[in-house]
Amino acid sequence: MSKIVLVGGGTGLSTFARVIKDFVTSLTLIVAVTDDGGSSGILREALGMPPPGDVRNNIIALADDEELLTKVFSHRFSAPAMNGHSLGNIIIAGLMEMCGGFSEAVLTASRMLKIKGIVLPVAEDLVSLVGELDDGTIVKGESRVSAAGKRLKKVSLDRACEALPEVSDSLVSADTIIIGPGSLFTSVVPNFLVSGVKEALKRSQARKIYVCNIMTQPGETDDFSLAKHVQIAESYCGVEFDLIFWTEIGGVASSVLSRYEEKGSRPVENDMISDGRVKVITGATTEFIDDGRRRPVLRHSRAGIISILHELGLLGEEGI
């Protein structure tokens, strides 16, 4: 039985997890805890708890989509007085008070939804992301870092914190570790700023896999090529990747790409063609998300993710 660990945060991690859970028997997700926007940010400030949003999304991704509790966890209040809170976030906040800790709350929520795998917050500490911009400006908070509008020079945490022991153990014992996709500086890198994570990754004998984003991200990875993504990721992870996956866009409506380009986001260029570690995947897809504006977003397709699993030799454990 292969032990697979995914590291990231945001929608990239949950998109992959939703597909991978059907094909592997041992799956662990390690999720960043620096989000400070929206419902998560409000609960973080009000209750002094790590942000539950990314953890919630990944618990839902590993659950049975037909289950009533999954729909409950996904529900978002529309009443203005509720500040757009997700019911799942509030449930996790309540479980934290009941259970006495964030990781215990996550475990309890996971049991409630009978998820296929394990979701681990990378740490329990309340930490903030700090970004240094090219002009020397310092900004604090993940949402401010992401929206700074200027190129990032580096990121760090505002205080030292230790990874959960389960996080380090899962990395050391893994057979395959998949890093990304996700916002490079605000979803992927923050995990490796937590003490113990980089060290465990270096000790691990697992294959280290990097899945690059489909599009650049304004204010974070403007004009970043594949090589630049890999360089930054490897510098924070402290290891060289064994395999790198880059997605070739095909069949995406020009209107969708135009919407991204209007905001300064473009397809990531593959400038590592001669690097034998790079595998090309065809499979970006357009999905519609209903956040009140019903807007189209680009995601890795199910077929593309399955192609990655095939390349890694991970298909067939549960049958396909």
Side-chain angles (χ1 to χ4, degrees):
M1 179 177 69
S2 295
K3 295 181 179 179
I4 316 302
V5 175
L6 309 186
V7 184
T11 57
L13 187 63
S14 58
T15 297
F16 261 64
R18 190 169 284 109
V19 176
I20 292 176
K21 70 179 182 183
D22 294 331
F23 301 106
V24 300
T25 53
S26 177
L27 179 62
T28 300
L29 311 186
I30 297 173
V31 186
V33 292
T34 50
D35 185 16
D36 64 353
S39 171
S40 286
I42 295 169
L43 291 172
R44 172 188 171 115
E45 290 299 318
L47 303 178
M49 66 179 292
D54 285 349
V55 165
R56 182 204 75 239
N57 283 337
N58 284 286
I59 290 174
I60 292 171
L62 294 185
D64 182 348
D65 288 340
E66 299 303 316
E67 290 289 336
L68 174 60
L69 277 176
T70 302
K71 296 177 182 178
V72 169
F73 268 68
S74 301
H75 177 74
R76 192 172 293 276
F77 291 97
S78 58
M82 293 301 294
N83 289 313
H85 277 302
S86 157
L87 182 53
N89 285 356
I90 292 177
I91 290 173
I92 292 174
L95 289 173
M96 180 175 167
E97 287 194 356
M98 291 173 58
C99 301
F102 187 61
S103 59
E104 290 84 356
V106 173
L107 178 60
T108 302
S110 299
R111 287 173 175 164
M112 289 171 66
L113 270 68
K114 300 178 181 178
I115 68 172
K116 299 178 180 179
I118 298 170
V119 175
L120 296 173
V122 68
E124 282 198 310
D125 301 83
L126 191 61
V127 293
S128 294
L129 192 66
V130 178
E132 180 181 345
L133 308 182
D134 265 352
D135 63 2
T137 302
I138 302 297
V139 289
K140 182 178 178 180
E142 182 182 303
S143 56
R144 293 184 181 90
V145 170
S146 183
K150 297 180 181 178
R151 190 182 293 274
L152 277 166
K153 185 177 180 181
K154 64 179 180 180
V155 291
S156 59
L157 298 179
D158 67 336
R159 68 193 70 180
C161 72
E162 293 283 338
L164 291 177
E166 297 91 335
V167 167
S168 297
D169 291 345
S170 67
L171 289 169
V172 171
S173 63
D175 298 301
T176 301
I177 299 170
I178 301 175
I179 297 164
S183 299
L184 182 60
F185 285 106
T186 54
S187 290
V188 175
V189 164
N191 291 287
F192 298 96
L193 300 175
V194 174
S195 180
V197 177
K198 181 189 295 186
E199 294 77 7
L201 186 66
K202 289 180 178 179
R203 285 165 48 207
S204 178
Q205 297 300 306
R207 294 178 296 175
K208 283 86 171 180
I209 314 301
Y210 179 66
V211 180
C212 188
N213 285 355
I214 299 169
M215 307 291 288
T216 62
Q217 187 168 350
E220 256 189 72
T221 57
D222 298 280
D223 302 319
F224 273 28
S225 66
L226 175 60
K228 186 65 174 179
H229 278 84
V230 171
Q231 175 199 339
I232 295 295
E234 287 184 337
S235 68
Y236 282 97
C237 293
V239 300
E240 287 190 1
F241 301 127
D242 298 302
L243 284 175
I244 298 160
F245 288 94
W246 172 83
T247 300
E248 183 176 49
I249 291 181
V252 175
S254 59
S255 59
V256 175
L257 290 176
S258 294
R259 186 181 69 82
Y260 273 86
E261 289 177 358
E262 286 171 4
K263 297 182 179 181
S265 179
R266 295 174 176 81
V268 173
E269 174 195 354
N270 181 2
D271 56 349
M272 297 179 66
I273 297 173
S274 61
D275 192 318
R277 298 177 299 163
V278 175
K279 306 297 179 183
V280 176
I281 299 299
T282 301
T285 190
T286 302
E287 295 179 357
F288 283 89
I289 60 173
D290 191 358
D291 59 355
R293 292 174 292 171
R294 187 163 172 75
R295 54 196 175 96
V297 294
L298 284 175
R299 294 280 188 265
H300 287 86
S301 69
R302 180 178 177 85
I305 295 170
I306 290 174
S307 295
I308 291 174
L309 298 181
H310 179 76
E311 188 71 41
L312 295 175
L314 297 177
L315 296 183
E317 293 189 17
E318 291 292 308
I320 180 173

